[in-house]
Amino acid sequence: MRVRRRLASVFSVVPTDILEWQAVKAPRKPQARIPLEFMTVDATNLGDLRHEVPGPIYESSSAFVGRGDHGFVAMVEGRYAGWVWISRQTHRDPWSGLTIRLGADEAYGYALWVPEAFRPLGVPRALMLRMLGEVHEDPALSRLYAWVDKRNRESQMLLRLLGFKDVQQVTWARALGRFGWQVPRSDKPRFGPVSTDGRHSGPLQNLPSPTDIEQR
């Protein structure tokens, strides 16, 4: 077991689900088992959270705001209780190496992180609902993508209970704790947000859905 863990820290292969949420039906209001307040964070106020968010997690957010993304932060009595981020920009995730390609009416939700003490209290679900509410209310958006490790049962269950559906499967690899990349030809079907072909690659109207595309 110890050898296996050590090998996993050097090199790992991660089968992953790509999920989508379609902004047709309004989501429920975000609530948790504790009173929450929400704030939107971007380049203008990220610095206010410097001493609230764990160092490595905070430092990674500089790339988020540099891209023009914004986040939703949950607060409990003025204390940071978690966040999640949303992007409208096609970009490569440096951790996994996956490139999430977006059409003009699509967004990508990522970096959901909640301290362990708040996870059983419904904070992850409330943060996701806060983000889905914004997507639903934005007339320029029709769907939101997310990816989740097949082995991450907690996140898998959360997203699926919120109405996310499978759109693709893909495998990525990571080496030496520093380098991530998408395994070539592991995207199935080869039409979707982690593929060259997808709604992002042409006019949004009259494009086939992933289920209409043969895996070629």
Side-chain angles (χ1 to χ4, degrees):
M1 182 65 71
R2 184 176 299 176
V3 172
R4 184 180 300 176
R5 289 178 180 174
R6 183 170 297 178
L7 287 174
S9 68
V10 175
F11 180 80
S12 56
V13 176
V14 186
T16 296
D17 290 326
I18 310 298
L19 307 176
E20 73 170 12
W21 182 83
Q22 297 195 11
V24 177
K25 184 178 179 181
R28 294 184 177 184
K29 293 182 179 180
Q31 294 180 335
R33 298 185 184 92
I34 50 176
L36 290 179
E37 295 181 357
F38 295 96
M39 62 177 284
T40 301
V41 59
D42 55 25
T44 65
N45 62 353
L46 178 63
D48 297 340
L49 295 171
R50 178 177 295 276
H51 301 296
E52 298 283 345
V53 184
I57 295 172
Y58 178 86
E59 293 303 326
S60 67
S61 62
S62 61
F64 305 166
V65 298
R67 197 164 44 234
D69 301 351
H70 64 275
F72 306 97
V73 178
M75 307 290 289
V76 176
E77 298 180 348
R79 179 185 173 192
Y80 169 86
W83 67 14
V84 67
W85 288 76
I86 187 170
S87 181
R88 299 285 300 274
Q89 306 294 325
T90 292
H91 66 275
R92 179 181 180 276
D93 174 62
W95 175 264
S96 64
L98 296 177
T99 297
I100 309 299
R101 300 173 175 88
L102 301 175
D105 66 333
E106 298 174 331
Y108 165 49
Y110 67 100
L112 174 65
W113 190 83
V114 174
E116 287 191 24
F118 293 113
R119 293 176 190 176
L121 301 176
V123 176
R125 181 177 183 273
L127 277 167
M128 290 297 299
L129 286 171
R130 174 65 183 86
M131 179 171 61
L132 296 182
E134 175 170 296
V135 174
H136 175 74
E137 293 169 4
D138 189 336
L141 291 176
S142 70
R143 68 194 64 208
L144 178 80
Y145 292 116
W147 64 263
V148 59
D149 182 338
K150 284 183 177 291
R151 302 166 297 182
N152 188 337
R153 295 182 179 180
E154 186 176 22
S155 294
Q156 286 273 4
M157 183 178 295
L158 172 63
L159 293 179
R160 294 177 191 282
L161 287 175
L162 290 173
F164 280 79
K165 305 294 184 182
D166 288 289
V167 65
Q168 277 188 298
Q169 290 78 45
V170 69
T171 300
W172 55 275
R174 186 167 175 81
L176 303 176
R178 297 174 58 191
F179 308 104
W181 66 94
Q182 180 173 323
V183 175
R185 299 185 65 81
S186 67
D187 47 324
K188 298 178 182 180
R190 295 201 176 96
F191 179 97
V194 295
S195 303
T196 302
D197 294 331
R199 297 180 75 255
H200 55 272
S201 60
L204 295 180
Q205 64 273 17
N206 301 321
L207 277 176
S209 68
T211 55
D212 296 328
I213 300 295
E214 292 185 359
Q215 297 182 12
R216 56 185 188 273

